[in-house]
Amino acid sequence: MQAGTIYEAPRIAGRDGETVVTSTCGHNCGGRCVVNAHVRDGRIVHISTDQRRWNPDHPPLPACARGVGQIERTYHPDRLQYPMRRVGPRGSGAFARISWDEALDTVASEMLRVRDTYGNAAILDASRTGSQSMLHGRVAAQRFLHMFGGCTDLWSNMSAEAEVFSVRMTYGSPDYKSAGREPTDYPNSKLIVMWGWSPGDGTFGTGTMAWLKHAKKQGTRIICVDPRETATSRQLADEHVFLRPSSDTAALLAMGYVIVTEGLHDQGYCDRHVLGFDEAHLPEGAPAGSSWRSYLLGERDGAPKTPEWAEAITGIPAATLRRLAIDFATTKPAALQCGYAPGRTLYGEQFHRAAYALAAITGNVGIAGGSSGVSNGATGRAGIRSLPTGKNPIDAKVASPLLADLLARGRAGGYPADVKLIYSAGGDLFNQCPNAAKIAASLDGVEFIVAQDHFLTPTARHADIVLPATTFWERNDVHTPWAGAGHYAIYMRQAIAPMYECRNDIDIFDELSRRVGLNAYNDKSEESWLRELTRDAVDDFDRFAEAGVARFPPPAEPVAFAPQIRDPDHHRFPTPSGRIEIYSTVLAAKPDPYGLGHIPPVPTWMGMPETDARFPLLLCTPKSRARTHSIHGNQAQLARVDPDTVWMHPTDAAARGIRHGARVRVVSAAGATVLPVEVTDRIAPGVVSIKEGAWFTPDAAGTDTEGCANALTLDRSAPCGATTYNSNSVEVMALA
């Protein structure tokens, strides 16, 4: 229980006849902001947000355009209104209305049949974070499926698995959301290097941009490293450094080489806190010459990781890399803030591990103004829990980016089972996993698909039964800061009655559980659950529910791992050695932890993706300010905020006779899509970008017509299980 909690109602009074209700967007949007519904006669007529002026001592929680755009989404004419059964070919969108009893009876019957015929591993949980909060959404699906006997689980975090893995290997921390620092610490940095991190595009924590602007006003210098000049870079950067997608690790290694050869590393800090930086601090039994320092100097492979070596890979001039390295090492304190995007590559874990290593050897981990290299916060969920899901009774796991291959090959490809039934609650994985066309073409062996959602998404279009779920406005829930920073919680008060025949996720699974013989799925009311899930953090639940926001006291340590650095004798890192492990003892013992590829014990350059002369341009897939992944993808008004285009450098466009604004065809080894081109010098030469999340909408020939990035991405996994969205190549051609 946290003493000193402040309960506040960040909303203005409504007009006559209006009730104003506070909530927050229940999506995986990168923020956790205040959205207030103004309700008149049972209908939301306006959405407002936290309108207080920014104050570093008590910052507001204002929403972005997506939050304000929730009214368009709630009353969209395409909202699912009642249960439906497919009556046409898969993907045709032909459905007929049925009753809830018929729908649930059918789903229950099919689940029992598939379990009894093929076993639980033949059931795939394709639920995700389209509906996200402590009580409703994916956790409700996991609880049901685990109680049902288990399922095949797409286990890896599609956004951040490379960071999740690397935090665990390097720092031993099981929670990457609390392995960074609070935004309150940003002004303590003399220099922030933002690497593949653009909170101006993807939000990355409510108020993050405001804190960065505040830091800049206090004198913090900011350098952005990214294939694109992002919205963040345009607003904040003193310098922007362009590089090629998938090459980030090479740039970091070259910086490490300069720091070591110039003697700019903090040797005393490394002696006290770091394992494997040099030969003197290798674990017992490690081969001679296996330290990271030896690797950087090329003592084993004969290839020193010089700036000149990296220039040919990254496109960053050697002089720039050398200057950036010296600047980072000599500016005290300095922070390396790493986004997830460089980790969504073929060897994404190497990027994050190299970044953490740089932060460590320069003595910046665990100190005010420094950073662990992790861009999340330091408080996590502040003690608030989510609906208990129980443990999956069977060990059937597949890395998320391999969904297409799992469906295509099943047991023949070495997977746990041939998938016969897919349950998707709040998920749109047919759109968001790589190689969308292959997924759609690999469903012949799947006998039954259930989609529980708000719209007929690209996934729901392939379902046999569609179940209409409520939005967050139509139920009560609780949520915590997305980035694990800011130490607050928001009560998501129900604003309107469930629309049409829509039902809450937990109620749907409760009804379904009784039909399959489970009687213990849910024995609590919505309010009882929320009281239980918040009891360790909220000392006055009634005040919390009425006010809307609980502000908890700030953490004792705004920077992760400060106790370990300040007092290593009494506070050890939760790694096997008790130190920051640049040399991972876990990987040394088990270098292929998931059967997805070898991972060396020290951060290593593993090479660029294989090249194909047919596809000479590198693709990156950034966030859209108008969408949360594929959520909002059908909102025409909101789409105007950030239209879908393919960014292309002028030299690349000129070489292909492509003019700004023209519709172009983008092709890869996976497929093709069509969308307008934006010719701009805000992207590196040889690189194009398409914002992820547009709905896969193929024509009769199989070409996507809406700019879906995953029409172009290959279904490959990094060795750590991470997605590889930013390790793909394409060609762009003008349409005749």
Side-chain angles (χ1 to χ4, degrees):
M1 197 69 64
Q2 303 199 42
T5 298
I6 298 171
Y7 298 98
E8 56 191 27
R11 51 184 178 264
I12 59 175
R15 296 178 179 177
D16 289 345
E18 285 183 0
T19 301
V20 185
V21 177
T22 294
S23 186
T24 187
C25 298
H27 312 312
N28 191 14
C29 61
R32 197 64 65 222
C33 317
V34 167
V35 285
N36 298 314
H38 295 241
V39 182
R40 183 185 298 126
D41 298 328
R43 183 180 176 88
I44 301 174
V45 295
H46 176 64
I47 292 177
S48 64
T49 188
D50 191 342
Q51 298 182 5
R52 292 170 296 180
R53 296 185 62 166
W54 195 78
N55 177 351
D57 296 322
H58 197 87
L61 304 170
C64 72
R66 292 169 294 180
V68 178
Q70 289 291 350
I71 196 166
E72 180 189 11
R73 186 174 191 274
T74 303
Y75 296 109
H76 197 289
D78 294 342
R79 269 287 299 271
L80 294 174
Q81 300 182 16
Y82 38 73
M84 298 190 296
R85 180 192 296 277
R86 179 170 60 85
V87 294
R90 278 228 173 103
S92 66
F95 290 86
R97 180 176 185 172
I98 58 175
S99 69
W100 268 104
D101 281 340
E102 182 180 353
L104 293 174
D105 286 346
T106 302
V107 173
S109 175
E110 287 296 308
M111 293 197 71
L112 291 167
R113 179 187 65 81
V114 169
R115 184 183 67 178
D116 294 345
T117 305
Y118 304 105
N120 280 86
I123 300 172
L124 176 70
D125 179 15
S127 306
R128 224 63 186 188
T129 56
S131 180
Q132 189 184 45
S133 46
M134 297 299 102
L135 181 58
H136 298 286
R138 189 187 183 196
V139 288
Q142 290 175 309
R143 180 178 175 88
F144 168 74
L145 291 169
H146 294 174
M147 291 179 71
F148 188 67
C151 57
T152 289
D153 178 28
L154 296 171
W155 62 270
S156 60
N157 184 309
M158 293 175 66
S159 292
E161 189 60 38
E163 175 155 285
V164 173
F165 176 86
S166 299
V167 165
R168 199 167 65 247
M169 294 300 106
T170 307
Y171 298 118
S173 174
D175 180 17
Y176 74 113
K177 289 284 189 178
S178 60
R181 62 176 179 152
E182 296 299 295
T184 53
D185 188 58
Y186 294 169
N188 293 325
S189 301
K190 293 292 195 323
L191 170 67
I192 297 177
V193 179
M194 303 175 66
W195 203 297
W197 187 53
S198 181
D201 290 292
T203 305
F204 215 99
T206 301
T208 297
M209 280 296 285
W211 276 108
L212 288 166
K213 290 175 181 178
H214 176 65
K216 189 172 177 65
K217 288 180 181 178
Q218 304 304 305
T220 302
R221 283 193 302 121
I222 296 176
I223 298 173
C224 289
V225 183
D226 199 285
R228 306 161 66 247
E229 187 184 4
T230 62
T232 302
S233 183
R234 291 201 116 181
Q235 295 179 65
L236 296 175
D238 296 283
E239 179 183 3
H240 186 96
V241 178
F242 289 100
L243 84 169
R244 297 173 183 138
S246 290
S247 72
D248 308 78
T249 304
L252 292 170
L253 295 175
M255 289 174 63
Y257 174 89
V258 172
I259 290 168
V260 169
T261 56
E262 296 283 339
L264 300 177
H265 59 285
D266 189 331
Q267 186 64 51
Y269 183 101
C270 292
D271 291 345
R272 290 189 300 274
H273 305 298
V274 179
L275 182 77
F277 164 64
D278 54 24
E279 295 295 305
H281 297 89
L282 282 169
E284 185 178 350
S290 60
S291 69
W292 198 49
R293 185 180 188 279
S294 296
Y295 172 72
L296 293 175
L297 299 179
E299 292 177 355
R300 294 194 71 181
D301 61 8
K305 309 308 177 290
T306 65
E308 290 73 21
W309 165 83
E311 178 178 351
I313 299 167
T314 66
I316 303 175
T320 300
L321 284 168
R322 184 170 284 105
R323 174 174 52 80
L324 185 59
I326 294 171
D327 204 5
F328 180 69
T330 57
T331 306
K332 304 289 186 179
L336 186 54
Q337 302 276 142
C338 296
Y340 300 157
R344 300 185 195 117
T345 50
L346 206 53
Y347 304 103
E349 67 281 343
Q350 300 304 324
F351 161 74
H352 287 289
R353 295 178 64 220
Y356 305 164
L358 272 193
I361 70 170
T362 52
N364 281 302
V365 177
I367 66 167
S371 171
S372 62
V374 176
S375 295
N376 287 291
T379 57
R381 287 183 173 179
I384 292 178
R385 295 170 289 123
S386 59
L387 179 72
T389 63
K391 191 175 184 293
N392 191 347
I394 62 172
D395 185 20
K397 297 181 179 180
V398 176
S400 301
L402 300 178
L403 173 61
D405 199 52
L406 164 65
L407 295 174
R409 298 198 295 153
R411 285 187 183 277
Y415 295 105
D418 297 318
V419 173
K420 298 298 180 182
L421 187 149
I422 298 175
Y423 205 118
S424 173
D428 192 13
L429 292 186
F430 291 8
N431 196 81
Q432 294 304 107
C433 277
N435 210 337
K438 182 177 175 181
I439 293 173
S442 301
L443 298 174
D444 289 348
V446 180
E447 297 176 1
F448 194 73
I449 301 175
V450 189
Q452 191 166 304
D453 217 309
H454 305 138
F455 295 98
L456 208 59
T457 65
T459 299
R461 288 180 68 88
H462 291 83
D464 296 281
I465 294 290
V466 175
L467 304 176
T470 53
T471 66
F472 65 87
W473 291 121
E474 300 157 70
R475 59 200 188 199
N476 295 295
D477 217 316
V478 169
H479 229 332
T480 56
W482 182 91
H487 41 89
Y488 64 91
I490 297 179
Y491 189 87
M492 304 169 69
R493 180 176 287 278
Q494 182 175 338
I496 56 176
M499 295 177 63
Y500 314 114
E501 295 184 21
C502 299
R503 295 186 180 181
N504 294 341
D505 293 305
I506 199 167
D507 294 335
I508 293 172
F509 287 114
D510 190 35
E511 287 286 332
L512 193 56
S513 69
R514 300 178 195 282
R515 284 169 162 82
V516 297
L518 301 173
N519 297 313
Y521 177 80
N522 183 28
D523 60 355
K524 294 182 178 67
S525 68
E526 195 175 54
E527 180 181 323
S528 296
W529 270 121
L530 295 177
R531 285 182 181 274
E532 178 176 324
L533 298 176
T534 61
R535 67 185 179 192
D536 293 336
V538 173
D539 58 9
D540 191 331
F541 180 84
D542 292 329
R543 286 181 64 193
F544 175 42
E546 175 60 31
V549 174
R551 299 271 194 166
F552 306 123
E557 304 282 2
V559 178
F561 312 122
Q564 288 88 341
I565 298 304
R566 186 174 55 249
D567 188 2
D569 292 333
H570 295 92
H571 298 279
R572 294 170 61 81
F573 283 88
T575 56
S577 66
R579 291 170 167 246
I580 300 170
E581 292 201 357
I582 293 180
Y583 183 102
S584 170
T585 55
V586 173
L587 290 173
K590 192 175 182 181
D592 187 1
Y594 306 123
L596 297 171
H598 177 81
I599 306 177
V602 298
T604 301
W605 174 244
M606 305 293 285
M608 291 286 282
E610 292 182 13
T611 57
D612 186 327
R614 297 174 298 165
F615 311 115
L617 300 170
L618 299 173
L619 173 69
C620 60
T621 59
K623 302 300 178 195
S624 168
R625 289 178 287 114
R627 283 193 301 270
T628 297
H629 302 304
S630 67
I631 297 169
H632 307 294
N634 59 342
Q635 291 181 230
Q637 294 178 39
L638 187 56
R640 300 189 190 119
V641 170
D642 198 5
D644 284 307
T645 59
V646 52
W647 281 22
M648 194 174 196
H649 193 272
T651 57
D652 296 319
R656 292 161 176 80
I658 293 173
R659 295 185 177 182
H660 178 81
R663 287 186 67 78
V664 295
R665 178 181 171 88
V666 187
V667 297
S668 75
T673 189
V674 175
L675 73 171
V677 67
E678 185 169 346
V679 179
T680 174
D681 60 4
R682 290 176 60 192
I683 193 164
V687 182
V688 298
S689 74
I690 297 175
K691 292 182 284 287
E692 60 92 23
W695 288 17
F696 181 59
T697 311
D699 61 17
T703 296
D704 174 65
T705 58
E706 296 295 326
C708 176
N710 281 327
L712 305 168
T713 54
L714 295 171
D715 49 315
R716 300 178 295 187
S717 174
C720 68
T723 52
T724 58
Y725 298 124
N726 294 320
S727 288
N728 291 279
S729 57
V730 300
E731 179 59 289
V732 181
M733 56 194 73
L735 290 175

